Amino acid sequence: MIIQAELRRKQSEYEGDPCAVDKVIELPSLRFRQFSRALLADYDFIAENKNAVRHDEAARHCLLILDADGTDGFLVDPQGYNYARYSAFVPNARSLLTPDMGVDRSYLSPAEPWRDESRDEMLRMTLRVDGKPDYTLVLPADEEYLDAVKAYTRNPSSGILLPPIL
């Protein structure tokens, strides 16, 4: 048996919070994997559901994000933001669902053209443009597109200062 877990060195006690699941969202497997590799990126499924998360003193209220083809998930407390501000990996999360819990499967089919599930990696960049506020971009990481971004950001006349893109 293999279990994914975050082990902590010399942990003297467990400091977990009671968590209440306010909404369950199922993502296609590739999108779930992309999310799990970049938890701090902004996501439409968090932005569109962050107001479904209630607030009270009895428990920390969260979204439960599930892999459509797997058993694992993430508890996410966005606290009004569009990213997983607080998150916890939950192995075998699907087994915790009760019959009365509805599952939002609307993100399984790409309704918008920018929801391209064939792209499983994203690039998050912060642009600093000649003394103006910082801008954050989330770009699809296919090779042709990244090559064009690299060429543009390396052009001194673009006015954009970026560290080299790996």
Side-chain angles (χ1 to χ4, degrees):
M1 172 180 12
I2 296 177
I3 298 173
Q4 297 237 358
E6 185 176 316
L7 299 176
R8 297 183 182 200
R9 184 173 176 263
K10 295 185 177 183
Q11 186 170 316
S12 63
E13 64 182 283
Y14 175 70
E15 297 179 17
D17 294 324
C19 294
V21 175
D22 288 342
K23 185 162 187 179
V24 181
I25 299 170
E26 202 170 58
L27 298 179
S29 196
L30 288 174
R31 194 160 192 219
F32 179 84
R33 190 167 57 232
Q34 182 258 327
F35 167 68
S36 71
R37 292 177 180 167
L39 293 169
L40 298 180
D42 288 344
Y43 291 98
D44 60 327
F45 58 89
I46 294 176
E48 293 165 7
N49 292 286
K50 65 186 176 188
N51 293 330
V53 177
R54 297 174 309 148
H55 303 280
D56 65 40
E57 298 298 319
R60 180 170 230 151
H61 290 264
C62 300
L63 302 170
L64 177 60
I65 311 299
L66 294 175
D67 180 351
D69 297 328
T71 59
D72 299 333
F74 282 89
L75 282 173
V76 172
D77 178 3
Q79 294 207 333
Y81 293 89
N82 298 335
Y83 68 96
R85 187 156 194 209
Y86 290 89
S87 63
F89 177 74
V90 182
N92 209 14
R94 189 172 296 280
S95 70
L96 303 174
L97 296 179
T98 59
D100 63 319
M101 296 176 81
V103 178
D104 181 348
R105 292 186 170 92
S106 66
Y107 296 94
L108 294 179
S109 60
E112 292 84 9
W114 47 265
R115 275 196 195 152
D116 181 355
E117 303 307 334
S118 66
R119 294 175 172 155
D120 64 350
E121 299 292 332
M122 300 295 278
L123 173 68
R124 188 174 170 91
M125 296 179 359
T126 300
L127 302 178
R128 290 176 178 79
V129 182
D130 294 332
K132 295 189 172 108
D134 293 347
Y135 298 92
T136 301
L137 297 178
V138 178
L139 305 170
D142 61 69
E143 288 303 315
E144 181 181 341
Y145 190 82
L146 281 180
D147 289 343
V149 171
K150 288 176 190 177
Y152 179 75
T153 59
R154 290 182 181 145
N155 180 353
S157 65
S158 72
I160 298 175
L161 307 172
L162 282 180
I165 299 172
L166 303 175

